[in-house]
Amino acid sequence: MAKYPLIKTTLKDRLLGGHYLEGLPLPSEPQLAREFDVSRMTARRAIDELEREGYVYRVQGAGTFPTGKRFRQGVFRIRPFKEWARHPEHRTQVLRAIEIQATPEIAAVLQIEPGSSVAFIHRLRSAGDEPLVIEKRYINAALVGGLLERNLASESIHELLIAMGVPLTRVEQSLEAVNLRQEEAELLRVPVGTAAFLMRRTTYSGAQRVSYVNYWVRGDRYAFQDSFEP
Amino acid sequence: MAKYPLIKTTLKDRLLGGHYLEGLPLPSEPQLAREFDVSRMTARRAIDELEREGYVYRVQGAGTFPTGKRFRQGVFRIRPFKEWARHPEHRTQVLRAIEIQATPEIAAVLQIEPGSSVAFIHRLRSAGDEPLVIEKRYINAALVGGLLERNLASESIHELLIAMGVPLTRVEQSLEAVNLRQEEAELLRVPVGTAAFLMRRTTYSGAQRVSYVNYWVRGDRYAFQDSFEP
DNA sequence: GAGTGGTCTAGACCACTCG
DNA sequence: GAGTGGTCTAGACCACTCG
């Protein structure tokens, strides 16, 4: 078992528990190395990940500091599919739903063997006549036998997974701004090159990666909104 | 000068140039270490960053492979200005900082009388040579006399406001995907029409609206990242 | 079994911060 | 000047892949 994950979760717990005060540095790298009885490089590795995840920031010569919650940016709330489906004028169309063999890339994202079975679901969501969101989803088929026989147009896949005994415990997502390529532009009926959001989401059930989804969302019809108290 | 950034950009150039074929591994870490005359750990560090940025993926025992463009995972976190400013290679350039009279639109957003004084700050943020973010900020001048005399390139405006007795108590923000118009595209040195994030933010001090900011963020260089436990 | 990436060590020198 | 993070080295052992 590797050592740095333990150091990382220990430090994360302390940070979330308020053990380290804002404005004051954490123990230095040599100190942490001594505390956890590892080399400094191993302690650094744990801190590297905490920095990447936004829990701390480092200043050369000064120290490593807890990130204040004030500017935890990039946390926009996104409307879950459930609410979307409730809107009567919204509908979801299944373009494709088949079992495929994992390409190396999909295998790497889902951490399965290349060639393993993956359920691929391609959907289009519209409001009234207007297509708004394209969805391409890859699900580890070993976890969800029979998923493709369900009614994928009317049901939330998230809830289907829960019903099939695969509760989601963690979601990682990223949001990019992209120019739509021809395939997507045609589906969304906008000119090629129109700006859109591309949201990528990986879901976990425990340590197991369950699904990987790409959403293309029309930038001219959708905005994310959020408010927070610093 | 550190060695790993050179290795990283060299490999990135090769990857983007199609030097390494999809499905075939890159040279192994020991080979790359020999080629660049560094230790294996230093070569790894360069590859670590390429992996994080989605250019390659690694399979233990098998090798490091180019990621097909389809599943490129973008991995830039939006950084708070404070941390941004500390990064030596990041800089902020003030394009304009003047007092103007509120247009009807700005007046409506800030809930002041049209024609009232507003501090307008236009900045450009870059990393190295690469411009990344355009910022246009409108601040209710009645709340912040003398703001424009401060060093706006090196200081966080958020902290300046706090220092001037205007603590921020609430932020409302929205995020859109837009095609860049000529003015913005020229500043960011990308083609007209390139997809970008447009973030709009209104800040409050109590019930008082303090500022309104538009950020144009290059979509090809930035992504929002988040993870949560449902 | 040869080669690959994953992790770790015990050092080293450097640039930087801070009182 | 003491302490901090940034980078780098030259090893080592391991789990894993693949022919």
Side-chain angles (χ1 to χ4, degrees):
Chain A
M1 202 45 210
K3 299 179 185 176
Y4 71 85
L6 176 63
I7 302 173
K8 180 183 165 191
T9 57
T10 303
L11 292 178
K12 196 195 282 190
D13 287 346
R14 291 185 189 167
L15 285 159
L16 295 176
H19 263 65
Y20 299 131
L21 300 180
E22 224 179 304
L24 295 179
L26 272 64
S28 71
E29 293 174 358
Q31 282 171 341
L32 290 171
R34 277 194 297 277
E35 175 187 343
F36 291 100
D37 195 28
V38 296
S39 72
R40 185 181 149 215
M41 287 298 274
T42 300
R44 268 187 73 78
R45 166 102 191 233
I47 303 169
D48 281 346
E49 300 204 355
L50 292 174
E51 184 182 30
R52 239 195 308 144
E53 294 174 20
Y55 290 96
V56 300
Y57 64 93
R58 297 198 264 209
V59 181
Q60 186 178 157
T64 301
F65 300 86
T67 307
K69 288 196 176 142
R70 288 199 313 221
F71 276 106
R72 236 352 129 59
Q73 305 182 352
V75 187
F76 281 85
R77 278 186 283 259
I78 284 152
R79 187 186 283 271
F81 180 43
K82 205 169 149 190
E83 293 174 42
W84 174 287
R86 274 194 186 126
H87 261 261
E89 69 269 36
H90 287 161
R91 66 200 177 81
T92 301
Q93 188 182 345
V94 179
L95 303 177
R96 263 186 118 181
I98 57 169
E99 204 156 300
I100 61 172
Q101 294 193 328
T103 62
E105 293 91 337
I106 292 296
V109 173
L110 292 180
Q111 292 190 324
I112 54 179
E113 296 298 314
S116 307
S117 279
V118 167
F120 170 63
I121 303 173
H122 190 187
R123 307 198 297 184
L124 181 65
R125 301 190 198 172
S126 311
D129 271 350
E130 211 167 40
L132 292 180
V133 181
I134 298 170
E135 191 184 301
K136 283 190 181 179
R137 189 182 301 252
Y138 304 85
I139 309 172
N140 182 345
L143 303 174
V144 290
L147 176 68
L148 296 178
E149 281 70 58
R150 303 301 196 99
N151 180 350
L152 301 171
S154 68
E155 295 185 68
S156 154
I157 291 178
H158 173 260
E159 295 194 344
L160 273 181
L161 292 175
I162 292 174
M164 299 174 86
V166 187
L168 298 190
T169 58
R170 179 175 166 76
V171 176
E172 286 182 4
Q173 56 188 11
S174 74
L175 191 66
E176 302 167 42
V178 299
N179 294 98
L180 289 176
R181 295 165 304 176
Q182 185 160 7
E183 175 197 341
E184 299 121 23
E186 280 175 5
L187 278 171
L188 294 176
R189 297 209 300 264
V190 294
V192 170
T194 298
F197 292 109
L198 171 55
M199 181 159 68
R200 306 170 189 274
R201 193 180 276 185
T202 309
T203 65
Y204 294 73
S205 189
Q208 186 99 48
R209 302 195 183 185
V210 176
S211 73
Y212 174 64
V213 200
N214 279 351
Y215 300 92
W216 287 265
V217 182
R218 269 177 66 174
D220 54 343
R221 285 287 178 277
Y222 226 82
F224 294 99
Q225 279 194 325
D226 192 22
S227 73
F228 58 92
E229 331 275 320
Chain B
M1 204 43 209
K3 299 178 184 175
Y4 72 87
L6 176 64
I7 301 172
K8 180 184 164 191
T9 57
T10 303
L11 292 178
K12 194 194 282 190
D13 287 346
R14 290 185 190 167
L15 284 159
L16 295 175
H19 262 67
Y20 299 131
L21 300 179
E22 226 177 302
L24 294 179
L26 273 64
S28 72
E29 293 173 359
Q31 282 171 342
L32 290 171
R34 276 194 297 278
E35 176 186 344
F36 292 100
D37 195 27
V38 296
S39 72
R40 186 181 149 217
M41 288 297 276
T42 300
R44 267 186 75 77
R45 163 102 191 234
I47 303 169
D48 281 345
E49 300 204 355
L50 292 174
E51 184 182 30
R52 240 194 307 143
E53 294 175 21
Y55 289 97
V56 300
Y57 64 93
R58 299 198 264 209
V59 181
Q60 185 177 155
T64 300
F65 301 85
T67 307
K69 286 197 179 140
R70 285 200 316 216
F71 303 109
R72 176 66 57 76
Q73 307 228 15
V75 274
F76 281 87
R77 180 181 276 277
I78 289 281
R79 245 174 222 279
F81 182 41
K82 199 171 154 190
E83 295 175 44
W84 173 286
R86 280 198 175 121
H87 257 261
E89 69 267 37
H90 286 161
R91 62 199 178 83
T92 301
Q93 189 182 344
V94 179
L95 304 178
R96 265 187 116 182
I98 55 168
E99 204 157 301
I100 61 172
Q101 294 194 327
T103 63
E105 293 89 339
I106 293 296
V109 172
L110 292 180
Q111 292 190 325
I112 54 179
E113 293 299 314
S116 308
S117 278
V118 168
F120 170 64
I121 302 173
H122 190 189
R123 306 198 296 184
L124 180 65
R125 300 189 196 176
S126 311
D129 272 349
E130 211 166 42
L132 292 179
V133 181
I134 299 171
E135 195 184 300
K136 283 191 179 177
R137 189 183 298 255
Y138 304 87
I139 308 172
N140 182 343
L143 302 174
V144 290
L147 176 68
L148 296 179
E149 280 72 56
R150 303 301 196 100
N151 181 349
L152 301 171
S154 68
E155 295 186 66
S156 155
I157 291 179
H158 172 259
E159 295 194 344
L160 274 181
L161 292 175
I162 292 173
M164 300 174 85
V166 187
L168 297 191
T169 58
R170 180 176 166 75
V171 176
E172 285 181 4
Q173 57 187 7
S174 74
L175 190 67
E176 302 165 44
V178 299
N179 294 99
L180 289 177
R181 295 165 302 176
Q182 185 159 7
E183 175 197 342
E184 298 120 23
E186 281 176 3
L187 278 172
L188 294 177
R189 298 210 298 265
V190 294
V192 170
T194 297
F197 291 110
L198 172 55
M199 183 159 66
R200 306 173 189 271
R201 193 180 274 184
T202 309
T203 64
Y204 294 72
S205 189
Q208 187 100 46
R209 302 195 182 187
V210 176
S211 74
Y212 174 65
V213 200
N214 279 350
Y215 300 93
W216 286 265
V217 182
R218 269 176 68 172
D220 54 343
R221 285 288 178 276
Y222 251 92
F224 292 92
Q225 270 199 322
D226 191 23
S227 74
F228 57 91
E229 333 272 321

